[in-house]
Amino acid sequence: MIQTHRDIFFDRRSVKEYDPAFKLTQDELSELINKANQAPSAWNLQHWKYLVIHSDEAKAALLPIAFHQQQIADSSATVVILADREAHKQAEPVFSRDVAEGRMTEEIKALLTKQIDSAYAKAEYRFESGVLNASLAAMQLMNAATLAGLGTCPIGGFKRTELIRQFNIEERYLPLMLITIGRTRQEPRATARLSVKETATFL
């Protein structure tokens, strides 16, 4: 994948028009996802899954679900960010690996697991934690794509119920957003941004 020097904070804009002839390979998309996977998460439970809409058939199925937004068809891929509402189930495989590789003791594993079980007894926490942590991975994915010289756009406008049904998404996962990825055909316009003074309060 071609790497370019870009400022991920000021160069990234939401791209709506992509070059339909440009195709990322599965390996190139996997490289981006691997970088997204390095995002932080509560207890390192990694509360996310990705559904990568890459084939022409999958794009055709997604298009009406996403209100026929042309970027779904023209981008190289659309990544569905799934928030894991049962991320506590990740504790055993994640922590056991840390114990086996000497990064965690059994005592710490037991303590953290107890904390997690207590938090996940609350339904609202399952939802809130899934959304919060999966959003970190989503931004990380867009940053990785920006640094690779690619365009992205997060999309919240889609029919969630139909998406779940069409792609057989487990009840455990909440479709949070779509992210289109590809080569920019037309640079999006610059947008006004609120200043630090308008957005931050210092106490």
Side-chain angles (χ1 to χ4, degrees):
M1 187 177 298
I2 297 174
Q3 299 290 323
T4 61
H5 296 289
R6 302 189 71 185
D7 188 321
I8 59 175
F9 304 107
F10 295 98
D11 290 349
R12 200 215 73 81
R13 295 176 185 150
S14 293
V15 173
K16 304 296 177 62
E17 297 188 39
Y18 293 89
D19 177 1
F22 176 76
K23 304 296 181 185
L24 288 163
T25 66
Q26 184 170 324
D27 284 346
E28 288 171 329
L29 287 164
S30 295
E31 181 182 338
L32 294 175
I33 289 171
N34 184 46
K35 291 175 180 177
N37 280 343
Q38 309 314 307
S41 61
W43 289 295
N44 192 33
L45 294 178
Q46 302 164 61
H47 311 55
W48 49 74
K49 292 289 183 182
Y50 313 94
L51 178 62
V52 184
I53 307 299
H54 193 210
S55 69
D56 290 340
E57 294 77 12
K59 288 182 181 182
L62 179 60
L63 189 60
I65 293 171
F67 300 105
H68 295 278
Q69 297 180 68
Q70 189 61 33
Q71 58 179 300
I72 299 295
D74 291 346
S75 61
S76 185
T78 298
V79 179
V80 183
I81 305 295
L82 302 174
D84 188 355
R85 290 177 286 200
E86 298 178 17
H88 59 294
K89 294 179 179 179
Q90 298 279 79
E92 178 59 33
V94 171
F95 295 165
S96 291
R97 189 178 305 174
D98 282 339
V99 169
E101 297 177 7
R103 292 186 295 265
M104 181 183 292
T105 65
E106 285 286 357
E107 291 75 19
I108 294 297
K109 175 187 172 185
L111 176 63
L112 295 180
T113 300
K114 184 177 179 180
Q115 293 174 357
I116 291 165
D117 289 343
S118 176
Y120 274 82
K122 307 175 184 70
E124 64 273 17
Y125 181 83
R126 295 181 178 215
F127 171 80
E128 292 170 0
S129 186
V131 170
L132 185 156
N133 290 282
S135 295
L136 297 176
M139 191 69 242
Q140 186 101 326
L141 177 63
M142 288 188 284
N143 285 342
T146 300
L147 288 173
L150 301 168
T152 61
C153 182
I155 300 172
F158 59 93
K159 304 170 186 175
R160 280 173 177 76
T161 302
E162 290 189 26
L163 179 73
I164 291 167
R165 182 170 59 248
Q166 176 67 41
F167 294 101
N168 299 311
I169 296 171
E170 295 178 52
E171 186 176 352
R172 169 176 178 171
Y173 300 106
L174 171 69
L176 191 58
M177 69 182 81
L178 315 177
I179 298 177
T180 50
I181 303 175
R183 176 181 287 163
T184 303
R185 184 172 67 182
Q186 180 173 326
E187 286 293 333
R189 64 179 176 81
T191 56
R193 294 288 163 162
L194 298 174
S195 68
V196 173
K197 185 176 181 179
E198 292 171 297
T199 57
T201 300
F202 294 84
L203 301 176

